Amino acid sequence: MSPAFTFFIGLLLLILFGWYFATDYGLRKRLLAALLAAMLVAFSIVTIWPPEKKIALGLDIKGGTSFLIKLQQVDKDKPITSGLLDQAVEVIRKRVDYFGGGEPIISPVGQDRILVQIPGLDTAKIQEARDQLSRVAKLEFRLVYPDNGERLRAIDNGTEVVPPEYKIENYKHAAEEDEKTTVERLLVKKKADLGGDRVSGSNAYYGNEGWTVQLKFDSEGAKKFGQITEQYKGHRFAIVLDGIIQSAPVIRDAIYGGDAVITGHFAEKEARGLASVLENPLQTPVSIEEERSVSPTLGADSIKASILAGLVGLAITLVCVAIYYRFAGIIACLALLVNIVLLIGALTMFRFVLTLPGIAGIILTIGLAVDASVLVYERLREELALGKSLKIAIQAAYEKAFSSIFDANITTLITAVILFLRASGPVKGFAISLTLGILASLFTALIVGRNIFEFFVDTGRVKKISMLHLISSQNINFLGKGFLACMCSLALIIAGATSFYVRGEKNFGVDFRGGDLITLSSPQTIDVGQVRSALQPINLADASIQESNQGGKNYITVRTPLHTSDAVEKQIMTAMPQAQFKVEGAERVGALVGGELARNSLIALGLGIFGILVFVWLRFELSFAVGAIVALVHDVTITVGMFSLLHRELTLTMVGAVLTIAGYSINDTIVVYDRIREGLASGRKGSIEQIMNESINQTLSRTILTSTVTLIPILCLFLFGGAVLRDFSLAIIIGVVVGTYSSIFIASPIVLWWTRARGGSKTSLQREITSKQTKPATAS
């Protein structure tokens, strides 16, 4: 689709959205909702289809290698500028083109780093790519044999030989007439007459003779360049970068003073490119700080496993929701399917690269998307129990549930946005899919689902609905058990913290503490003890080795100190030839990058907690904000502690899981808080503790149902999603269970205790909540 067409569709959708919200209930509103949903679904399908061409896949899915390169600042007086970084990108781009392959990505990252992604790079070429990318650029000025090409013609005719100090080079450049690339053979000196380190600056400008390149030398270079140009006036000299001739101008006059101009009917692009070459980018040393590679086979196995997990999770979710809520459940299922289509369409339209964590975000969205429908339907059950007609009950259910849905999703959105802004690599893809999934679920639940429901009711096609009610209303004294629950949590936190302290650096994966990680596959069962014995001769028998199985293959991952994976690969292959090992993936992360990732992860978590604190404070009251943050920290701490107790490693992908847990924890807590706020603001009789207990009991059914529905796709991801995402899904499972528990037994008691500690009364709490209860506009 053309940009103009996309812009027109977007403008039309915006107008329809405005018209929809400005219209009162009735046939027109439903027609606008139907038109909006149909257009968005159609637009998404057109954007996605055909998926094999439209959906961009990350290296962890299609296979390939990525390098994070850092430019080293040698001279403090010459900082690495954005211009120098851009020039270095172009030099590296030319080097990457040498490897062929499809559509490499070379982009600047921050102020002094460059990310290089080469899809489909064979493992045999990784070392060659490593050498090419880390090599310092070499700029040279070499004289062309000074006879205007006569010696070269004689060599071609067989009457002369190539002089020993010269060699024949090809010079590719655009012909003046048709701008097509032509190849010119030149007889060029082997040894440089002048080094590129003598160039102090270069720039391109448009002058009387067209595009011109200005060149400046330092004092030593100016003197030598003057001698060369005086001696070889009228002849050509070649400007060579990394052994490739970039230009071969004619010396018109002797040039002293260190300033020279190069003319030659340049196009703007060619002139600027030559000036960039003469600036001598990558003259300073560069280092590869991070390297990750995945074989196409492992990528294909991973995406198959992830898609299988997603489809199984989706199918189970649809069946469970349809059985439990019956007709209303079928509408929720339809809204969920629309949600998934819109989410994938948005990811494709904005050209986001789909990674394995991104797929995990989509699968997590399946569970979260049903949450809004469950909130509405549980409210609907209560309204019908009061004796209201179905039409009035539906309107009341959506209006009362909106506050919970709005607050819960905004808090989750806060963590997703902060994760997107602070994270890097694949985790950013997870944040994108989660953010778009939240927005899509709000649209489908509050607009698509509601209008379908109201259509059947208003037209008389549905006059009565029934739902299962497996979890009946209870009268449990949850707050009375708060102290016992806190003691249990404290014991678990101490156990996790002790394990974390004892294990030390072993808690952290290669992403955070640096080092090498290599993944090998074998068609046979792998004996870890035999692998350790094989590594004994190179003193790496104590390396961290993990086994896994996926798609009928056996895998081992070996984590070792930095720059040792090549030796590990060679040693294992040599010592165990019968295992028929194949390299499926490798990672190499410098200690500096690992430290930065750890620091950025803590900053992201801190910003997320602060953002949630402010939002909950504004929407509720300080005691609620304190309770929410304590519950959030409780959930994150226990999850990390459980990982340590289970001897799992914290990786970059785990950062996304932890922040998702934070978002889910707040989501669950906010729903309980919203019902407590409603109970206090309604002036209900009883003490604060009684009202809070009643509110928790009223939301118990919803809490258990949404946690179950969220766990279904994540459990499928854990069981069928393959080894790559197993730790990620395990963290989410732990987080959902702990988050459900904390929203009842931790967050609410904290509110009660905090209020009592400040000497607050029920009346003062009601007054403060009422003053802040600025109800957001209801989506319908």
Side-chain angles (χ1 to χ4, degrees), residues 142-218:
R142 303 183 195 171
L143 281 168
V144 178
Y145 197 84
D147 66 349
N148 296 320
E150 292 179 8
R151 182 68 176 259
L152 185 60
R153 285 191 288 273
I155 292 169
D156 290 340
N157 292 330
T159 58
E160 290 282 358
V161 295
V162 178
E165 67 272 23
Y166 285 85
K167 63 178 179 178
I168 299 173
E169 297 274 9
N170 290 329
Y171 169 37
K172 296 181 181 180
H173 61 99
E176 295 179 19
E177 309 83 42
D178 53 9
E179 294 188 355
K180 289 183 179 179
T181 301
T182 60
V183 180
E184 182 183 2
R185 296 168 70 248
L186 297 175
L187 194 58
V188 184
K189 263 193 177 182
K190 293 179 181 177
K191 188 177 179 181
D193 294 274
L194 183 63
D197 56 340
R198 296 300 177 186
V199 177
S200 61
S202 179
N203 66 287
Y205 65 91
Y206 192 83
N208 295 330
E209 297 184 50
W211 280 99
T212 302
V213 178
Q214 185 178 24
L215 182 63
K216 293 183 179 181
F217 292 95
D218 61 15

Side-chain angles (χ1 to χ4, degrees), residues 348-370:
T348 308
M349 184 177 68
F350 293 115
R351 298 182 181 179
F352 291 126
V353 177
L354 187 63
T355 60
L356 287 176
I359 293 175
I362 294 172
I363 294 172
L364 180 61
T365 301
I366 294 173
L368 295 177
V370 179

Side-chain angles (χ1 to χ4, degrees), residues 5-226:
F5 179 74
T6 303
F7 173 77
F8 174 75
I9 294 294
L11 187 62
L12 182 58
L13 288 170
L14 188 63
I15 293 170
L16 287 174
F17 265 110
W19 192 3
Y20 174 83
F21 286 112
T23 304
D24 292 330
Y25 290 102
L27 178 61
R28 181 186 295 175
K29 197 174 188 75
R30 279 200 297 273
L31 288 174
L32 286 171
L35 184 59
L36 266 172
M39 286 186 65
L40 283 169
V41 169
F43 187 66
S44 297
I45 292 173
V46 170
T47 304
I48 298 167
W49 201 262
E52 64 273 11
K53 293 182 179 179
K54 296 289 188 69
I55 299 177
L57 302 178
L59 291 185
D60 56 352
I61 293 177
K62 65 181 177 182
T65 304
S66 70
F67 300 91
L68 184 63
I69 300 171
K70 180 179 174 64
L71 275 67
Q72 306 288 343
Q73 184 181 345
V74 178
D75 190 347
K76 293 182 179 179
D77 297 328
K78 291 184 178 180
I80 296 171
T81 62
S82 58
L84 181 61
L85 188 64
D86 291 340
Q87 292 162 7
V89 167
E90 292 306 314
V91 172
I92 288 175
R93 192 182 306 279
K94 292 174 183 176
R95 293 183 182 180
V96 170
D97 287 343
Y98 163 80
F99 295 99
E103 300 181 6
I105 298 172
I106 300 99
S107 58
V109 178
Q111 297 178 343
D112 57 358
R113 289 186 175 97
I114 299 169
L115 178 65
V116 180
Q117 295 181 315
I118 311 174
L121 187 65
D122 188 78
T123 52
K125 289 186 177 181
I126 290 177
Q127 182 59 48
E128 187 180 358
R130 199 181 292 148
D131 295 338
Q132 282 278 353
L133 293 173
S134 59
R135 179 165 49 87
V136 173
K138 192 175 183 182
L139 176 67
E140 300 170 318
F141 297 90
R142 303 183 195 171
L143 281 168
V144 178
Y145 197 84
D147 66 349
N148 296 320
E150 292 179 8
R151 182 68 176 259
L152 185 60
R153 285 191 288 273
I155 292 169
D156 290 340
N157 292 330
T159 58
E160 290 282 358
V161 295
V162 178
E165 67 272 23
Y166 285 85
K167 63 178 179 178
I168 299 173
E169 297 274 9
N170 290 329
Y171 169 37
K172 296 181 181 180
H173 61 99
E176 295 179 19
E177 309 83 42
D178 53 9
E179 294 188 355
K180 289 183 179 179
T181 301
T182 60
V183 180
E184 182 183 2
R185 296 168 70 248
L186 297 175
L187 194 58
V188 184
K189 263 193 177 182
K190 293 179 181 177
K191 188 177 179 181
D193 294 274
L194 183 63
D197 56 340
R198 296 300 177 186
V199 177
S200 61
S202 179
N203 66 287
Y205 65 91
Y206 192 83
N208 295 330
E209 297 184 50
W211 280 99
T212 302
V213 178
Q214 185 178 24
L215 182 63
K216 293 183 179 181
F217 292 95
D218 61 15
S219 57
E220 184 64 29
K223 181 180 176 182
K224 196 164 186 178
F225 188 68

